[in-house]
């Protein structure tokens, strides 16, 4: 299938901003967009930890984010199928240009990265969605601080890990 | 429930169609080869900051500011940045990329679920180490007029940064 036209970054940003304001409406969700609480919530449901202290803290947002991300998964699936982007692929082409085609290496770093990503998000109480997008929208000091710390850590890691990428 | 799934569906479509969910864009930003991620984040925050303030004037929205727990924000932010750079996805884009068939996103999600599970187990013992909690603070002023001026300036700076990055990117 012919690939669809990419949504311009400015429209994507404006649409995401409008979506977050709609989600915030008291008659819609009365909370901002968020994603990372789903991970401990689903992890806790699978391992039957429903009564653990943290599970009780996150029960409501975890449940909301689970359904939100089910929708996001369906959105990604439908949209990638409709526009010809769907492809079963393990090693991204940009990764292989710098790190090579080795599947084990990609699996190892995806595992380490995924683990640190969610551990970090839970320690900080949010992620790119809940802190940076939603906290940024509210001029929240915690979220703006998180954004600055993340960008510094992200770019230093990028420099050390990928070096002078071609 | 259906309402929340529809909201997530729209989120997924915007991310997928802008390609910002992909390793090419997120990993590409870590390599300083692609600025789609910061441009979209900046434009989204700038748009929503103004619209939210207007929405709040009609009593149609409330603030949901997260507490400023200094230790957790700094340690968590460092780990999150390392994870996002090596994985090449963040929590939301990870799930959208699974929908697109990316198998490395499935690996990242499985280990994210394991991290979440471990966090539940360690939460009682680390809860007190995350502080100090400096409260749910934001940059709004007590005066609505001044708050509007702050938000307009904030949004203008963020839009300017987004267009500045767009210009820099075209020179790469």
């Amino acid at each position: 299938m012919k690939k669809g036209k990419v949504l311009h970054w400015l429209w994507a940003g404006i649409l995401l901003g409008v979506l977050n304001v709609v989600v915030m409406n008291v008659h819609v969700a009365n909370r901002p967009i968020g994603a990372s609480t789903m991970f401990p919530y689903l992890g806790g449901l699978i391992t039957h930890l429903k009564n653990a202290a943290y599970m009780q803290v996150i029960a409501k947002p975890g449940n909301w984010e689970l359904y939100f991300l089910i929708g996001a998964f369906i959105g990604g699936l439908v949209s990638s199928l409709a526009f010809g982007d769907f492809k079963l692929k393990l090693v991204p082409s940009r990764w292989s240009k710098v790190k090579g085609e080795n599947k084990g290496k990609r699996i190892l770093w995806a595992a380490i990265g995924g683990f640190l990503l969610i551990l970090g998000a839970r320690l900080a109480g949010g992620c790119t969605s809940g802190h940076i997008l939603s906290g940024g929208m509210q001029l929240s000091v915690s979220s703006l601080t998180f954004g600055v710390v993340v960008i510094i850590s992200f770019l230093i890691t990028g420099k050390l890990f990928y070096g002078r990428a071609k | 429930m259906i309402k929340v799934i529809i909201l997530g569906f729209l989120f997924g479509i915007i991310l997928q169609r802008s390609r910002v969910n992909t390793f090419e864009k997120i990993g590409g930003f870590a390599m300083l080869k692609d600025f789609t991620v910061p441009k979209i984040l900046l434009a989204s925050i700038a748009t929503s900051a103004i619209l939210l303030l207007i929405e709040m004037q009609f009593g149609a929205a409330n603030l949901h500011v997260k507490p400023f727990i200094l230790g957790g924000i700094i340690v968590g932010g460092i780990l999150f940045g390392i994870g996002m750079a090596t994985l090449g996805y963040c929590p939301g884009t990870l799930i959208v990329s699974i929908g697109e068939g990316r198998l490395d996103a499935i690996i990242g999600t499985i280990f994210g679920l394991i991290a979440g599970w471990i966090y539940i187990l360690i939460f009682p013992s680390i809860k007190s180490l995350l502080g100090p909690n400096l409260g749910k603070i934001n940059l709004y002023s007590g005066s609505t007029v001044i708050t509007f001026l702050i938000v307009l300036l904030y949004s203008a700076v963020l839009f300017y940064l987004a267009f500045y990055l767009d210009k820099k990117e075209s020179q790469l």
Side-chain angles (χ1 to χ4, degrees), chain B residues 96-108:
Chain B
V96 177
S97 292
I98 294 179
E100 223 182 277
R102 299 308 147 125
L103 304 174
D104 54 342
I106 296 181
I107 309 280

Side-chain angles (χ1 to χ4, degrees), chain A residues 140-154:
Chain A
S140 150
V141 175
S142 60
S143 302
L144 295 171
T145 310
F146 177 77
V148 170
V149 174
V150 167
I151 202 87
I152 293 170
S153 165
F154 177 81

Side-chain angles (χ1 to χ4, degrees), chain B residues 136-156:
Chain B
K136 297 181 177 183
I137 41 177
N138 78 348
L139 301 179
Y140 283 6
S141 149
S143 142
T144 309
V145 176
I146 294 175
T147 298
F148 260 100
L149 291 175
I150 292 170
V151 170
L152 283 175
L153 179 68
Y154 174 79
S155 294

Side-chain angles (χ1 to χ4, degrees), chain A residues 86-105:
Chain A
F86 184 88
K87 195 178 176 190
L88 288 176
K89 196 173 179 181
L90 175 64
V91 185
S93 43
R94 191 152 225 161
W95 170 279
S96 54
K97 268 183 208 155
V98 187
K99 296 281 183 190
E101 294 285 351
N102 188 317
K103 292 189 168 85
K105 197 173 182 180

Side-chain angles (χ1 to χ4, degrees), chain B residues 54-112:
Chain B
I54 296 169
E55 190 179 25
M56 284 171 58
Q57 301 313 305
F58 292 98
N62 306 302
L63 282 177
H64 298 268
V65 174
K66 290 180 191 279
F68 190 18
I69 302 170
L70 194 59
I73 293 277
I74 292 182
V75 176
I78 292 170
L79 296 180
F80 188 87
I82 297 171
M84 187 168 160
T86 54
L87 172 62
Y89 304 102
C90 59
T93 54
L94 201 52
I95 303 302
V96 177
S97 292
I98 294 179
E100 223 182 277
R102 299 308 147 125
L103 304 174
D104 54 342
I106 296 181
I107 309 280
T109 300
I110 292 169
F111 280 83

Side-chain angles (χ1 to χ4, degrees), chain A residues 5 7 13 21 25-26 28 30 47 68 71-72 79 85 87 89 94 106 125 136 138-139 141-142 153 162 165, chain B residues 3 8-9 16-17 24 29 33 44 55 60 64 66 78 85-87 99-101 103-104 117 137-139 154:
Chain A
K5 200 167 179 283
L7 181 63
V21 173
N25 192 285
V26 287
V28 181
N30 194 21
T47 52
F68 185 74
S79 168
D85 296 317
K87 195 178 176 190
K89 196 173 179 181
R94 191 152 225 161
R106 180 58 193 147
Q138 303 173 73
L139 281 69
V141 175
S142 60
S153 165
Y162 298 108
Chain B
K3 186 170 72 178
F9 181 79
Q16 202 284 328
R17 285 322 303 143
E24 321 307 313
F29 179 39
K33 295 282 170 195
S44 170
E55 190 179 25
H64 298 268
K66 290 180 191 279
I78 292 170
T86 54
L87 172 62
E100 223 182 277
L103 304 174
D104 54 342
W117 168 67
I137 41 177
N138 78 348
L139 301 179
Y154 174 79

Side-chain angles (χ1 to χ4, degrees), chain A residues 4-7 9-10 12-19 21 23-33 35-36 38-40 42-44 46-47 49 52-55 57 64 67-80 83 85-90 92-95 98 106-107 109-111 113-133 136-142 144-146 149-151 153-155 157-159 161-162 165-166, chain B residues 1 3-19 23-34 36 38-41 43-45 47-52 55 59-70 72-92 94-96 98-104 107-109 111-124 126 130 137-140 150-151 154 159 162-163 166:
Chain A
K5 200 167 179 283
V6 172
L7 181 63
W9 65 268
L10 185 56
I14 291 171
L15 287 171
L16 269 183
V18 170
L19 179 67
V21 173
V23 172
M24 281 286 269
N25 192 285
V26 287
H27 302 294
V28 181
N30 194 21
R31 59 154 286 167
I33 285 173
S36 68
M38 185 282 282
F39 290 80
L42 184 57
I46 294 169
T47 52
L49 287 175
Y54 191 60
M55 278 299 274
V57 174
W64 192 90
Y67 287 106
F68 185 74
L69 290 178
I70 288 171
F73 166 78
I74 300 170
L77 179 68
V78 168
S79 168
S80 65
F83 292 96
D85 296 317
F86 184 88
K87 195 178 176 190
L88 288 176
K89 196 173 179 181
L90 175 64
S93 43
R94 191 152 225 161
W95 170 279
V98 187
R106 180 58 193 147
I107 290 173
W109 285 105
F115 186 90
L116 293 178
L117 184 80
I118 300 303
L119 184 64
R122 287 301 86 225
L123 285 168
C127 62
T128 319
S129 302
H131 255 317
I132 299 178
L133 284 177
M137 163 175 75
Q138 303 173 73
L139 281 69
S140 150
V141 175
S142 60
L144 295 171
T145 310
F146 177 77
V149 174
V150 167
I151 202 87
S153 165
F154 177 81
L155 291 178
T157 307
K159 178 97 181 155
F161 188 67
Y162 298 108
K166 289 183 184 74
Chain B
M1 196 174 294
K3 186 170 72 178
V4 183
I5 293 177
I6 292 170
L7 295 170
F9 181 79
L10 296 172
F11 180 70
I13 288 196
I14 299 168
L15 297 188
Q16 202 284 328
R17 285 322 303 143
S18 63
R19 315 305 291 121
F23 181 92
E24 321 307 313
K25 301 292 182 192
I26 302 174
F29 179 39
M31 300 171 193
L32 290 179
K33 295 282 170 195
D34 190 299
T36 305
K39 285 191 298 184
I40 290 182
L41 290 175
S44 170
I45 298 167
T47 305
S48 57
I50 297 174
L51 294 180
L52 175 68
E55 190 179 25
N62 306 302
L63 282 177
H64 298 268
V65 174
K66 290 180 191 279
F68 190 18
I69 302 170
L70 194 59
I73 293 277
I74 292 182
V75 176
I78 292 170
L79 296 180
F80 188 87
I82 297 171
M84 187 168 160
T86 54
L87 172 62
Y89 304 102
C90 59
L94 201 52
I95 303 302
V96 177
I98 294 179
E100 223 182 277
R102 299 308 147 125
L103 304 174
D104 54 342
I107 309 280
T109 300
F111 280 83
L113 289 170
I114 294 172
W117 168 67
I118 290 177
Y119 192 77
I120 298 174
L121 300 179
I122 62 171
F123 177 73
I126 61 158
L130 298 176
I137 41 177
N138 78 348
L139 301 179
Y140 283 6
I150 292 170
V151 170
Y154 174 79
F159 268 128
F163 281 100
D166 190 50

